[in-house]
Amino acid sequence: MASDIPLAHSSRGEVPAQTYLEHISNVCHQAVCNAKAATTFYNGDSDAFISCLESAALYHDLGKLDKANQAILLKGSKKPLPIPHEDAGVAELDKLGWQEAVILVYGHHDGLFSRKEELGKQGRPFRQLKRTTPNGEKVVDHVDRNLEIYENLHVAAGCTKLAQLTPTGQLHSCGFTRRIALSCLVDADHADTARHYGNEAERPKIKTRWKDRLLALEHYVNSLPKGKTEREQARNSLRKRMFEVCRDAPIDPPIRTCDAPVGSGKTTAVMAHLLRVAAEREPPLRHMIVVLPYTNIITQSVEVYRKALVLDGERPEEIVAEHHHQADFSDLYLRQIATLWEAPIIVTTAVQFFETLGSHHPARLRKLHELPGSAVYIDEMHAAIPSYLWPQMWRWLETWVHEWGGH
């Protein structure tokens, strides 16, 4: 790699270095794709949301162009970069007035901010006021002094100059919406880096085929044994009636409850309702996410769903993903579609779901952008989370339903 071509990632073993231009281009493309997929279901300002993501992706690694950082990247050293690279992107975007993009760049490694901490930064929120360079200079002073150099190197590398664009607005002042935006950026950044180093596979889109899966589920339920004894027959008759009532229930209310005892067939009945919602909504929904409190129940439910919902020629693990800490995966791709919620149907724990919904940490938030336009079934709701957390979680669920097309 020629030393005059700036890098985003250093070489590692037989994997060559990645240029700054390649990484920025890839992250911009994927972040915008993520944002467009999510805002298909958004009733806010979609153009502002997408523009914010594009501007954040464009400058998220601007500080890597610092001479000291490039020296480390060129050597392939495992040492951390001497200049915190996100500070330059924050400074540039702040200068251009893209405040929401500032927050995303600031948080794409360290996570979402503490309002109290940022208000205490002497009128310079989101800057690295406490950190110093190896020669003792304050990082903010170093970055401000070199910002024009970074801008010129950014353009010389072949990247767009954001000054040519005009902000179209701000994101909705909602923590949940901001989490989705950060998720779009973090997923794009992490995915490109992981693919470069061979740690993630390409991500082909899996067909949802909701109508076909509903027909398959109906066939599965109808083929179940009727029972030998009168008691078994009566119970199975009630289960079938439960299935039909849930399947045929009106799909308009975006939040529904199903109050039914254990053994009444909720596993298939509620899924029938969600499949009908997913197929009849316009645009069709993206994912089914089944939230269960215990891993043993997850394994049982996954077994049923794979028997009932997987169509001819499909890999069961690709269609119904089992996501919890004890799940085993036969290859990298299957692990990826489960942990990143890319499969059509994901069965996961309440811990995974609610920590993703409310997290500030980039690694946990990465999959959140898959939630808009999806259906969620929270089973055993009383055991999902402590009761005192429900008021806040309920606010986020309502935001997701009313602003991001959830069901």
Side-chain angles (χ1 to χ4, degrees):
M1 186 70 65
S3 61
D4 58 340
I5 300 178
L7 305 179
H9 297 109
S10 57
S11 59
R12 186 182 298 173
E14 295 182 359
V15 179
Q18 184 182 37
T19 67
Y20 178 81
L21 174 61
E22 180 186 358
H23 180 61
I24 296 302
S25 300
N26 291 347
V27 173
C28 282
H29 172 74
Q30 188 60 53
V32 169
C33 285
N34 289 344
K36 285 181 177 178
T39 55
T40 299
F41 304 89
Y42 184 40
N43 64 14
D45 189 339
S46 295
D47 289 339
F49 189 93
I50 294 168
S51 294
C52 173
L53 259 298
E54 188 170 24
S55 60
L58 188 62
Y59 282 129
H60 78 284
D61 272 0
L62 183 67
K64 287 186 177 178
L65 296 173
D66 189 275
K67 182 169 62 176
N69 287 343
Q70 283 297 307
I72 295 293
L73 291 169
L74 191 61
K75 289 178 183 176
S77 172
K78 294 183 179 180
K79 292 181 180 179
L81 298 181
I83 312 299
H85 71 273
E86 59 270 30
D87 196 64
V90 167
E92 178 69 8
L93 290 164
D94 183 56
K95 185 177 76 173
L96 297 171
W98 292 75
Q99 291 305 312
E100 285 292 343
V102 164
I103 293 169
L104 301 185
V105 172
Y106 174 83
H108 81 279
H109 283 301
D110 292 337
L112 288 171
F113 62 94
S114 160
R115 186 172 183 272
K116 182 178 179 181
E117 279 185 22
E118 299 311 316
L119 287 174
K121 285 188 175 179
Q122 306 152 26
R124 303 187 76 183
F126 309 111
R127 298 300 304 277
Q128 300 287 342
L129 299 184
K130 294 181 179 179
R131 299 181 69 173
T132 59
T133 67
N135 64 8
E137 183 182 17
K138 284 187 176 181
V139 166
V140 288
D141 295 336
H142 176 86
V143 167
D144 289 346
R145 184 164 50 80
N146 289 279
L147 192 57
E148 188 175 349
I149 295 173
Y150 305 152
E151 293 168 352
N152 293 336
L153 290 171
H154 176 86
V155 174
C159 298
T160 305
K161 186 176 174 63
L162 192 60
Q164 299 168 356
L165 305 175
T166 303
T168 56
Q170 297 294 324
L171 296 183
H172 189 277
S173 57
C174 167
F176 183 75
T177 296
R178 187 172 281 154
R179 282 175 167 82
I180 293 176
L182 183 58
S183 172
C184 291
L185 176 62
V186 167
D187 178 63
D189 186 26
H190 287 202
D192 185 61
T193 303
R195 280 198 298 269
H196 178 73
Y197 288 119
N199 296 324
E200 280 190 12
E202 289 296 326
R203 300 156 68 173
K205 188 171 178 59
I206 304 168
K207 293 182 179 179
T208 53
R209 301 178 66 180
W210 299 132
K211 289 182 180 178
D212 293 337
R213 297 193 200 287
L214 179 56
L215 290 173
L217 181 60
E218 290 172 341
H219 175 75
Y220 171 82
V221 170
N222 289 331
S223 65
L224 291 173
K226 301 295 186 293
K228 296 180 179 180
T229 67
E230 187 174 328
R231 183 175 180 178
E232 287 176 344
Q233 291 171 1
R235 182 189 63 188
N236 291 334
S237 176
L238 287 173
R239 283 178 171 174
K240 187 173 182 182
R241 178 62 181 147
M242 172 81 170
F243 179 88
E244 292 168 349
V245 167
C246 287
R247 180 196 60 195
D248 299 337
I251 68 171
D252 292 333
I255 299 179
R256 303 295 301 266
T257 60
C258 179
D259 188 6
V262 173
S264 55
K266 294 193 300 294
T267 299
T268 52
V270 175
M271 178 57 73
H273 174 72
L274 295 184
L275 285 169
R276 206 178 127 239
V277 172
E280 295 184 17
R281 280 269 295 267
E282 189 55 45
L285 297 187
R286 302 163 75 194
H287 304 284
M288 301 284 165
I289 302 174
V290 180
V291 180
L292 298 166
Y294 311 114
T295 55
N296 63 327
I297 301 177
I298 290 176
T299 301
Q300 293 169 15
S301 297
V302 166
E303 186 177 346
V304 170
Y305 290 141
R306 285 177 180 169
K307 287 179 182 177
L309 303 174
V310 176
L311 306 174
D312 290 343
E314 294 180 330
R315 294 175 72 187
E317 300 88 348
E318 218 175 42
I319 305 305
V320 181
E322 184 175 359
H323 181 209
H324 56 82
H325 69 288
Q326 293 181 346
D328 293 321
F329 305 98
S330 59
D331 60 48
L332 187 68
Y333 172 65
L334 292 178
R335 178 180 180 83
Q336 182 179 320
I337 64 172
T339 58
L340 298 181
W341 292 359
E342 294 175 351
I345 300 158
I346 303 103
V347 187
T348 190
T349 62
V351 171
Q352 278 287 347
F353 180 75
F354 287 109
E355 285 193 356
T356 299
L357 203 66
S359 180
H360 74 285
H361 195 274
R364 282 206 175 276
L365 283 174
R366 181 179 171 185
K367 56 189 176 291
L368 183 64
H369 68 92
E370 298 289 350
L371 193 58
S374 295
V376 172
Y377 165 30
I378 303 172
D379 195 15
E380 304 290 345
M381 180 177 167
H382 64 281
I385 56 172
S387 58
Y388 66 87
L389 292 177
W390 264 115
Q392 180 59 62
M393 289 299 178
W394 190 258
R395 288 181 62 189
W396 284 331
L397 289 172
E398 285 192 312
T399 300
W400 161 65
V401 161
H402 296 301
E403 296 184 14
W404 287 96
H407 184 91

